[in-house]
Amino acid sequence: MTLALCFTESSLNYDVVHKGALDKNTIGLCGIKDYWINIIPELNEDNINSLIGGDLVLNHLLNRFDGDMFKALAYYKGSKKNFEPVYKVIRIYKEIK
């Protein structure tokens, strides 16, 4: 799931630049917000731009939402009304699986 999620964030490009008009704190390969460093002890400057970083955040959210993958992905993606990005991750995951 982490691979599918990170692919939708960057096409697995470590040097991606996230261009949100109101978002200046999204970093790298998995599109992780830098504030997660203060929330997840294992996440740091050295691994935030990695699949490991994406996996740490995704697992944190899965724990928070009692294993509900849809809710975890929606939160990660910031989807409140438009859930197409969540469905895209799920479709890619099924293709990989």
Side-chain angles (χ1 to χ4, degrees):
M1 185 59 72
T2 301
L3 186 60
L5 175 60
C6 293
F7 180 80
T8 65
E9 290 290 334
S10 69
S11 297
L12 301 181
N13 176 4
Y14 282 93
D15 298 321
V16 69
V17 176
H18 297 273
K19 299 179 181 179
L22 301 174
D23 181 14
K24 304 294 181 210
N25 67 349
T26 302
I27 299 170
L29 180 72
C30 296
I32 299 173
K33 308 270 188 227
D34 61 4
Y35 63 77
W36 285 111
I37 290 175
N38 297 322
I39 298 170
I40 302 171
E42 301 85 8
L43 188 65
N44 56 55
E45 296 284 334
D46 294 329
N47 66 12
I48 194 168
N49 188 16
S50 70
L51 289 173
I52 291 170
D55 197 55
L56 288 169
V57 175
L58 182 57
N59 281 307
H60 174 83
L61 292 171
L62 284 168
N63 287 331
R64 179 176 176 179
F65 293 108
D66 297 322
D68 187 320
M69 184 65 72
F70 189 87
K71 286 182 182 177
L73 290 172
Y75 191 93
Y76 191 110
K77 295 297 239 173
S79 297
K80 294 179 181 167
K81 292 183 181 180
N82 177 14
F83 294 106
E84 182 52 36
V86 176
Y87 297 130
K88 183 176 182 179
V89 173
I90 294 168
R91 280 193 306 270
I92 292 170
Y93 172 69
K94 287 179 180 178
E95 289 177 22
I96 291 170
K97 194 175 168 187

